[in-house]
Amino acid sequence: MRIPAFLRSSTTRFFALVFVLQLISSTALLLYVRHIIADELERTSRTLVTELHDDLVADYKQEGLPGLRTLISERLTGIRARDAAVLLDDPNGNQLAGNIADWPPPIPFDSGWQVATLYRMGRDKPEPMGLIASKLPDGTHLLVGHVIEGDLRVRRLTGEAMAAALLLAVPLALLGAIVATRVITGRVERIAETARRVGMGDLSLRVPHEAGMRDAFSDLAASINLMLGRIEALVGELRVVTDSLAHDLRSPLTRLSATIERAMRETDDEAALGALERVGFEAETLLGMLSTALQISRAEAGIGRDRFVDTDLGQMIEDLAEVYGPLAEERGFTLSAEGGGRAVVHRELVGQALANLVDNAMKYGRPDGTIRLSVHRADDLVTLAVDDDGPGIAEDRRAEALRRFGRLDPARSAGGAGLGLALAAAVARLHGGAITLGDNAPGLSVRLELPVAGD
């Protein structure tokens, strides 16, 4: 049988561990207290019996048997003799003195501390008592005891009190486990929240911790913050490199395009003009690929979050439909936009991602087909979708299609560098969202799911 996920979680196991350990420690403490009380009661009873026995034996040695019989009578009539039990009998088992009529068969004539239930003369019920027996030099037998009924009552009350304490310990252990779990999970959640926001691009965040505090969580926070500082520095260097690369490559490519256009205007040679047009197209393609690749790298590095603004996504897709409408109509497509919703997004990057998806739909969609732009909000997510009714992408090839320069089968190889879907995926991740490729039955359905808050 498969154990439910919440029972296998670390939080549940930590909660159970704290709860069980508290119960075990409470039980062990109560059992130790009970043992101490029982041991002290027995030690007190033993001391009383031993003292009485030693006094009687000492008197026997001084006064002989008659003196011992007299002393026994005196001791049993004293105030302190309320719980005393004594039997002195001759070698034939005849009682000579004491308040016990007959020698109890289970008790040997010479034994150490034992507990038995016996009748005392004049009592109507047996009583539990601790006993010491000895055999005197003349063959007589001496049995000295002390009633321990009060001790047993104290033990019973102690047991009942401990049972009640254990019942009280259960909710206290439960409360302790809840508090401990919330404290630990709260600190872990703060670290996880920082890591999540850093992963979404806010590299300036650090894990909060109290300076000077020396514990495992503070050490962990300090280590993570050191790592984040290093990552921020590396990303900063990457930003400088990419910006420099964009500037250094864009300028010569732009000059190359301008030179080609000037050459096209100055030549009348049809063959040369055709060649220049092809070179100009490739230059523009290379410039576009460079621009898109840089956009993807910057988005993956979390660059651009400072440009998030509240955006009317319904208006955005309507504007896209208006801009691409004439081109779509020229190519025989019907382009529509529906739905609405607002979110805090990087307006330019989301618009570029949607434009790339529309461009892909016009490249790979069914001729005379339909391209639908839509936006839909549910709870804390807003979904932007571009659906076409072309051949679509097989489920086992969709991950490949999302990779940079991912080029698939001939059915979807009508030009392009394979960067459109990669840019859309990078833009989704920049916003803390995700991209999914689905089956539009027929066709491809591309969905960008973005958090409404944008963080």
Side-chain angles (χ1 to χ4, degrees):
M1 183 180 67
R2 184 175 177 80
I3 301 175
F6 79 95
L7 291 178
R8 291 184 279 113
S9 70
S10 298
T11 301
T12 303
R13 284 183 288 180
F14 177 76
F15 172 84
L17 177 63
V18 173
F19 178 71
V20 170
L21 287 179
Q22 287 190 105
L23 275 186
I24 291 175
S25 60
S26 299
T27 303
L29 177 61
L30 291 173
L31 289 176
Y32 177 72
V33 171
R34 185 174 186 272
H35 172 74
I36 292 296
I37 293 174
D39 185 66
E40 179 61 20
L41 290 173
E42 181 177 321
R43 189 185 65 80
T44 302
S45 296
R46 281 192 182 206
T47 300
L48 291 174
V49 173
T50 301
E51 288 178 350
L52 179 57
H53 175 269
D54 292 348
D55 288 348
L56 294 178
V57 171
D59 187 77
Y60 169 78
K61 292 178 179 178
Q62 293 181 356
E63 304 293 339
L65 189 60
L68 176 59
R69 296 177 65 178
T70 302
L71 181 59
I72 291 173
S73 298
E74 292 175 357
R75 288 297 183 93
L76 292 179
T77 55
I79 299 176
R80 297 177 58 186
R82 183 171 59 88
D83 294 326
V86 179
L87 171 61
L88 176 66
D89 64 4
D90 61 18
N92 297 321
N94 299 314
Q95 186 199 42
L96 299 177
N99 57 357
I100 297 177
D102 300 307
W103 191 275
I107 305 298
F109 290 127
D110 193 358
S111 64
W113 174 263
Q114 294 193 42
V115 175
T117 301
L118 303 176
Y119 279 95
R120 287 190 296 175
M121 297 171 64
R123 303 298 175 107
D124 57 355
K125 63 179 182 179
E127 301 166 296
M129 56 185 70
L131 301 163
I132 293 178
S134 61
K135 187 175 182 180
L136 301 179
D138 60 357
T140 56
H141 308 124
L142 178 61
L143 180 66
V144 179
H146 180 80
V147 176
I148 59 173
E149 187 171 8
D151 297 353
L152 296 180
R153 184 167 57 253
V154 171
R155 290 187 184 189
R156 185 171 60 254
L157 292 175
T158 303
E160 293 174 357
M162 289 182 177
L166 274 179
L167 290 177
L168 180 61
V170 172
L172 291 177
L174 186 63
L175 179 62
I178 292 174
V179 172
T181 302
R182 294 197 63 171
V183 169
I184 296 299
T185 56
R187 300 195 69 172
V188 173
E189 286 173 355
R190 284 196 291 275
I191 295 174
E193 174 63 16
T194 301
R196 185 184 70 81
R197 296 183 65 181
V198 169
M200 292 171 59
D202 192 355
L203 300 181
S204 64
L205 283 180
R206 296 294 182 268
V207 178
H209 71 101
E210 185 176 344
M213 179 67 71
R214 302 299 302 174
D215 61 20
F217 281 102
S218 294
D219 291 344
L220 176 62
S223 299
I224 291 176
N225 289 342
L226 180 63
M227 178 185 66
L228 292 178
R230 180 61 177 159
I231 292 174
E232 186 179 22
L234 291 174
V235 170
E237 294 175 3
L238 174 64
R239 181 181 303 178
V240 172
V241 171
T242 54
D243 289 346
S244 299
L245 182 64
H247 180 269
D248 293 345
L249 289 181
R250 280 176 182 277
S251 296
L253 283 173
T254 302
R255 289 195 298 272
L256 176 62
S257 297
T259 302
I260 292 172
E261 291 178 0
R262 187 167 57 255
M264 290 174 63
R265 288 194 300 271
E266 294 175 353
T267 183
D268 295 328
D269 187 332
E270 292 295 331
L273 188 59
L276 288 171
E277 286 180 348
R278 290 192 294 275
V279 173
F281 175 77
E282 295 298 336
E284 290 295 332
T285 301
L286 182 58
L287 190 59
M289 290 173 59
L290 174 63
S291 177
T292 304
L294 289 175
Q295 283 182 315
I296 293 173
S297 296
R298 292 172 66 86
E300 295 286 8
I303 299 171
R305 288 179 54 82
D306 55 334
R307 298 180 61 184
F308 281 15
V309 294
D310 182 49
T311 303
D312 186 344
L313 297 176
Q315 186 62 50
M316 176 183 285
I317 63 172
E318 288 182 4
D319 293 343
L320 277 173
E322 183 177 350
V323 170
Y324 280 86
L327 180 60
E329 184 177 356
E330 180 183 332
R331 297 185 181 182
F333 290 100
T334 300
L335 182 61
S336 64
E338 61 185 30
R342 304 186 70 90
V344 179
V345 299
H346 192 302
R347 182 181 302 170
E348 290 76 16
L349 282 180
V350 172
Q352 182 62 52
L354 290 174
N356 286 354
L357 296 178
V358 172
D359 189 58
N360 280 350
M362 287 193 291
K363 287 178 181 174
Y364 308 119
R366 178 177 61 82
D368 301 326
T370 301
I371 300 172
R372 288 179 297 278
L373 291 166
S374 64
V375 58
H376 173 70
R377 175 175 176 174
D379 298 328
D380 295 332
L381 284 179
V382 61
T383 302
L384 292 159
V386 178
D387 303 325
D388 65 50
D389 48 10
I393 299 177
E395 186 173 356
D396 60 345
R397 306 293 304 276
R398 291 171 186 167
E400 182 183 353
L402 290 173
R403 291 203 296 265
R404 297 184 194 185
F405 304 103
R407 306 289 296 275
L408 302 181
D409 53 64
R412 302 190 63 84
S413 62
L419 291 173
L421 288 175
L423 175 62
V427 170
R429 286 192 289 271
L430 175 67
H431 290 79
I435 185 173
T436 58
L437 305 183
D439 187 356
N440 196 39
L444 180 66
S445 177
V446 185
R447 296 179 178 277
L448 296 177
E449 294 181 339
L450 308 178
V452 171
D455 57 15

